[in-house]
Amino acid sequence: MKQLGIVPNDIDLILITHFHGDHFAGLPFFLLDAQFSRRSRPLVIAGPEGIELRLVQVMEALFENSSRTLRKFELSVVALGPAESWTLGAVTVTPFAVVHGESGGPFLGYRLEAEGRVIAYSADTEWTDNLVPLAHEADLFIAEAYYYDRIVKNHLSLTTLAAHLPDINPKRLILTHMSDDMLERLPTLTYTAAHDGMIVDL
């Protein structure tokens, strides 16, 4: 974030999709940076049921006693249930249950509404019909496309996603969470792929 000129203290809301390390373990570093940089703005961290305990556990696993440090800013940790809309600051968040394994969940994808725009994020998931209402006619749908046509448990292939796009009908689609199989094919595909530092205008 800092390499890209993003100021962490400008972030008011963090949404967690599940508790696998590549989606969750960055939080202790973010919170310690906020403490050391003397953040004063409130921060909301929201995610699946159990996030309050999981956050304490990961803080203690990585930095002992860090979860008990008196913070200089207000921190709210909010557990979100699927298919229920939440207003978090200026953003309306609707979580949807997705499918990504037996451990590390619950697993959520998100539909976000703010400033008259809708952004949908599939998170890590195999195909589930919940992706249709999650991303239906969204201004931007950010979707996993782990493989091109190989079907594996807990992950989504581009061909599976493409078969359902007429029902989802997003205004714009950006692919993410791609394996080498997908990355090697990108020059031959018509879809837009995410990359580090990408800026999307809506």
Side-chain angles (χ1 to χ4, degrees):
M1 290 172 60
K2 291 183 177 181
Q3 287 177 345
L4 295 171
I6 299 169
V7 179
N9 285 343
D10 289 344
I11 294 172
D12 297 322
L13 171 64
I14 298 174
L15 294 172
I16 298 297
T17 59
H18 60 286
F19 303 123
H20 289 163
D22 56 332
H23 289 255
F24 189 61
L27 278 179
F29 302 95
F30 187 97
L31 291 173
L32 288 176
D33 180 83
Q35 185 77 353
F36 295 143
S37 63
R38 300 188 179 278
R39 179 189 179 104
S40 58
R41 295 172 60 169
L43 174 65
V44 177
I45 298 174
E49 294 287 345
I51 190 170
E52 303 97 328
L53 176 60
R54 293 288 193 129
L55 181 57
V56 170
Q57 290 172 335
V58 75
M59 293 289 293
E60 291 302 312
L62 297 181
F63 300 99
E64 188 177 2
N65 298 320
S66 63
S67 69
R68 295 188 289 273
T69 300
L70 182 63
R71 296 185 178 91
K72 300 178 177 70
F73 59 94
E74 179 185 347
L75 174 65
S76 301
V77 182
V78 181
L80 304 176
E84 181 180 353
S85 293
W86 301 72
T87 300
L88 301 172
V91 182
T92 299
V93 179
T94 306
F96 288 82
V98 295
V99 182
H100 188 52
E102 302 298 326
S103 62
F107 303 95
L108 298 176
Y110 290 110
R111 183 180 180 91
L112 314 174
E113 299 177 49
E115 298 182 359
R117 299 288 188 272
V118 174
I119 299 174
Y121 174 47
S122 72
D124 291 3
T125 184
E126 62 187 64
W127 174 258
T128 167
D129 288 343
N130 282 347
L131 292 177
V132 176
L134 179 151
H136 188 248
E137 297 186 347
D139 294 284
L140 173 62
F141 181 26
I142 304 166
E144 170 179 346
Y146 192 65
Y147 283 111
Y148 177 71
D149 56 4
R150 182 180 170 190
I151 306 300
V152 297
K153 191 175 182 180
N154 304 326
H155 286 286
L156 187 58
S157 72
L158 177 58
T159 53
T160 300
L161 174 64
H164 293 280
L165 283 178
D167 294 326
I168 299 172
N169 195 30
K171 295 175 184 174
R172 188 168 181 187
L173 173 69
I174 294 180
L175 305 178
T176 189
H177 203 298
M178 293 168 286
S179 66
D180 288 342
D181 170 64
M182 272 293 297
L183 294 172
E184 291 168 358
R185 297 173 187 264
L186 286 181
T188 67
L189 300 177
T190 59
Y191 297 96
T192 301
H195 58 81
D196 291 346
M198 185 178 193
I199 296 174
V200 179
D201 292 321
L202 293 178

